[in-house]
Amino acid sequence: MDTTQNISKPAHPFVAGFWLIAALPMTMMVLAPFAGILGLGDDVTEPPILFAMFVVHCVTGYLWARSLGRCAGLPDNKWMNISGGIGFAFGVVGILAALAEFARNPITRWLETFHGAGNLEFGALFAPWTGLACGISGFALGIGVRDLKLALKLLVLGFLTGFGLYLAIMYTMELLGFKVGSGRPVMLPTTFLSMWSAALVGSAIFGRMLAKSRKIERTQRS
C-alpha cells in the first residue's frame, strides 16, 4: 500500500510569509500610541522599540510557523510554532541589536575596506543580515520538529535565499537608476523589497522541505 497517498501536498506555503511581512507594520501600530509618552524618536535601537519589535516578531513568527505547518500538511506542532517565533525574532531583532552594539568597532573597520562605496557597504551589511534572518528562522523550524539535519538544511537554504535575493534586488535597483549613494531614497525600498521577497520565497522553500520531511518520516515508519 502507498503510505504517502494521504499526505497532502504543500498548499502555497509562500502565503505564510505574509505573517513575517506584517511584523514591522504591527510593531509600528503597537508603538504609535506610546511614542509621545516614551519620547521615541527615529532610532530603532532604543530599548522600548527593540523590546516591542522582539515581542511582535515572536507573535508573528509563531503565527507564521503555524500557518507554514498547515500549508505543508503537518499536524499542529506548538514546539515548532514557538521555536519559529523565537527564531524569527532573534534573526531580525537580535541581529539588529548586535549590529548596533558592534557597529562602532569591528563592523565599521570591515566596511572601511570598501573605501566609501555606499552601495557596496550597504550590500555588505544588509545582505548577510537578511540571509541570517531567513536562515535562523528556518533553523528554528527544524529544531522545533526535533530534526537537526533538517534544521541545518533550512539554515543553509534560508541564508542563501535571503542573501541572494537581497543582492539581486539591490543590483536590479541599481540598473533602474536607484543606486545607494545617488541621493535618491533607495535604502528603505531596497531593504523592504528584499526582506519581503525573502519572507515569501523562504516560506515557499521551507514549506516544501517540511512537507518532504514529513513524507519521508511516514514512509520510514511504514
Side-chain angles (χ1 to χ4, degrees):
M1 182 178 68
D2 184 2
T3 58
T4 65
Q5 62 183 357
N6 295 323
I7 302 174
S8 59
K9 296 181 180 179
H12 306 297
F14 77 92
V15 175
F18 285 105
W19 281 115
L20 304 184
I21 294 175
L24 185 58
M26 288 179 65
T27 301
M28 296 173 64
M29 291 174 61
V30 169
L31 287 173
F34 307 101
I37 300 174
L38 298 175
L40 301 178
D42 297 328
D43 185 3
V44 296
T45 62
E46 294 182 51
I49 296 179
L50 283 177
F51 176 76
M53 287 181 65
F54 189 85
V55 171
V56 172
H57 279 66
C58 279
V59 173
T60 54
Y62 177 94
L63 296 172
W64 164 70
R66 186 179 66 173
S67 176
L68 194 62
R70 290 176 177 175
C71 291
L74 273 63
D76 188 45
N77 185 335
K78 290 187 177 180
W79 286 115
M80 186 187 79
N81 302 341
I82 293 172
S83 180
I86 294 174
F88 176 56
F90 270 109
V92 177
V93 186
I95 294 178
L96 174 62
L99 288 175
E101 180 68 24
F102 296 107
R104 300 176 182 176
N105 200 359
I107 293 179
T108 299
R109 291 202 301 269
W110 177 54
L111 293 180
E112 287 176 351
T113 61
F114 295 99
H115 306 293
N119 61 327
L120 297 181
E121 293 178 351
F122 181 67
L125 187 62
F126 288 97
W129 177 22
T130 305
L132 285 172
C134 192
I136 291 173
S137 299
F139 180 79
L141 293 175
I143 293 298
V145 296
R146 298 178 176 86
D147 189 335
L148 180 58
K149 185 177 180 180
L150 175 63
L152 293 175
K153 286 182 179 179
L154 296 180
L155 172 65
V156 173
L157 286 173
F159 177 80
L160 293 177
T161 298
F163 187 85
L165 281 172
Y166 201 102
L167 292 182
I169 290 175
M170 188 183 76
Y171 182 66
T172 301
M173 295 283 283
E174 289 190 8
L175 291 179
L176 296 175
F178 296 92
K179 182 178 180 179
V180 173
S182 64
R184 295 183 176 184
V186 180
M187 294 179 64
L188 285 179
T190 300
T191 300
F192 287 144
L193 284 174
S194 301
M195 288 189 168
W196 293 345
S197 298
L200 297 176
V201 176
S203 294
I205 294 174
F206 295 162
R208 293 187 179 279
M209 291 293 293
L210 288 169
K212 182 179 179 181
S213 69
R214 178 65 174 171
K215 182 179 294 186
I216 294 173
E217 179 185 350
R218 286 195 177 184
T219 301
Q220 291 174 343
R221 288 180 179 179
S222 62

